[in-house]
Amino acid sequence: GFMEYNLIRCVFNSSDLNDIEFIFSYYYNKMEYARFSSSLGKYVGYNEIGVKQAAVWNKDASELARMKAQKETYCKHNVDID
């Protein structure tokens, strides 16, 4: 069978929002094919399919705004708990 999954990470050195990076990665059969990084503010593809999908997501302003908001909504909330 085939396996697709997502991995959400918050990379941080402090609880200051400027020191936090939100990363949402897309994997297929253990290979990362695309990623959203709050440091870049956009999606990046790592193979042919990932590059095409990243281009579609990057054209959608509401998708980018939703993902950028996750840095505060998801990461800041959980970093403060830790």
Side-chain angles (χ1 to χ4, degrees):
F2 299 99
M3 182 178 197
E4 184 169 16
Y5 60 96
N6 305 110
L7 179 65
I8 300 171
R9 295 179 286 160
C10 300
V11 179
F12 60 97
N13 292 322
S14 75
S15 61
D16 185 88
L17 198 56
N18 292 324
D19 294 333
I20 298 172
E21 180 181 17
F22 171 76
I23 301 170
F24 193 108
S25 298
Y26 297 82
Y27 288 85
Y28 182 76
N29 284 350
K30 300 181 183 178
M31 292 187 62
E32 185 177 25
Y33 67 89
R35 168 190 296 188
F36 175 85
S37 168
S38 65
S39 294
L40 298 174
K42 66 179 185 174
Y43 286 91
V44 176
Y46 294 107
N47 63 17
E48 184 179 347
I49 299 222
V51 169
K52 288 179 182 178
Q53 187 60 59
V56 170
W57 288 326
N58 286 332
K59 289 179 186 175
D60 186 344
S62 64
E63 172 64 13
L64 291 177
R66 183 180 72 82
M67 293 303 283
K68 289 175 183 177
Q70 293 301 307
K71 178 177 174 178
E72 184 169 1
T73 304
Y74 182 81
C75 290
K76 178 72 170 133
H77 170 76
N78 287 302
V79 167
D80 286 342
I81 291 171
D82 289 342

